[in-house]
Amino acid sequence: MEDDYIYPPELLGSIDFEKEHLTTYDPQISFPNPEPNLLVRPLRRSDYNRGYMDLLLSALYIRDEGISQEEFEERFDKMKASDSSYIITVIEDTSTKKIIGNAVLHIELKFLQPSIKRGRLEDIAVLEGYRGKQLGKLLMDVTTILCKKVGCFRVSLHCKDKFVPLYKKFGFYIDELENIMWLQKNYLQS
Amino acid sequence: MEDDYIYPPELLGSIDFEKEHLTTYDPQISFPNPEPNLLVRPLRRSDYNRGYMDLLLSALYIRDEGISQEEFEERFDKMKASDSSYIITVIEDTSTKKIIGNAVLHIELKFLQPSIKRGRLEDIAVLEGYRGKQLGKLLMDVTTILCKKVGCFRVSLHCKDKFVPLYKKFGFYIDELENIMWLQKNYLQS
């Protein structure tokens, strides 16, 4: 079952949350069990059957039909084979056996820099019925702590204006000199 | 020697540049040989010995001591093992056997979206003595064409203001609603 995880659970287990957390909580929150029936852990290959697709589709507002279990497992295996480049952390409601939270730290390897790893935070999401419990903050906190633990030398995220104050609480700042540019869709279609 | 390349050279070979190029050149430029002694090709594992580190250090203005050949090859192998997630294209001056241009298309796998791939363009660089020959444009053009060939569904890049007009020529646009945020360095140090 150990092999079921997208990254080694020991990495999460190495977090001393009481000592290492980066922001304040009111009320205080526990890790890895923010509530008795909620568990923060790495994504598992079997999470397709715990509503992982439903969470992504609903919480990230993606219009997509989702993918089959076979496709999910194929992608999972490719991600896992990429030398722990996909640090995907979820929250499971163990009473319903559903995934209700998600956060991705994706790592790009580089040839230069003292460390080889450049991180990006993505797809932080909490299922609607579970919001207002500081779970998004918790996921963000844990994922930012993991950036250091895995040895990232630079970490960035993209966000809308309304989330800027939230991410500042975790040590992120805006670089006003940089622009994000996207490739027009018609350049990607045949 | 085939195995020396970070991605299959056939992928570059499948580009019909005369038909597929995305911007205009004055004078017109050839691919994969923009000049008789210049060759556009995938990065090779042996490029450490062709000045690849010097190019990155000087053209990307990175203050770093570089890495050893052993470290380079270790990183190369990890990148290559990541299911062609590192589409690194270079230009070699075959008369001096030095790498003089670089462009990275890095691919992140996703669980949702009709296609699995989300691309990022990075580290486009041309050695100082080779500038003014439209080689940066050529690398950018080829890399953007590759985004479509490998099946990316979304592609982005980060850039300073002065490069915005250049990237617009290749179909990129700015999303004014998004911010780039970086994690402060002291959050990444022990």
Side-chain angles (χ1 to χ4, degrees), chain B residues 93-112:
Chain B
D93 182 334
T94 51
S95 66
T96 62
K97 298 199 190 314
K98 295 287 176 201
I99 305 301
I100 60 95
N102 181 67
V104 176
L105 164 59
H106 177 242
I107 293 167
E108 177 189 351
L109 304 179
K110 292 281 193 185
F111 283 117
L112 282 181

Side-chain angles (χ1 to χ4, degrees), chain A residues 73-85:
Chain A
E73 291 172 355
E74 192 186 313
R75 294 189 193 187
F76 184 98
D77 293 342
K78 281 185 182 175
M79 290 180 182
K80 186 161 176 170
S82 299
D83 192 44
S84 287
S85 287

Side-chain angles (χ1 to χ4, degrees), chain A residues 35 37-38 55 91-101 125-136:
Chain A
E35 293 185 7
N37 61 318
L38 296 182
L55 168 68
I91 303 178
E92 178 182 350
D93 182 333
T94 52
S95 67
T96 61
K97 298 198 191 315
K98 294 287 177 201
I99 304 300
I100 61 93
V126 172
L127 202 63
E128 197 166 352
Y130 292 82
R131 294 184 193 161
K133 294 168 179 281
Q134 307 181 295
L135 299 174

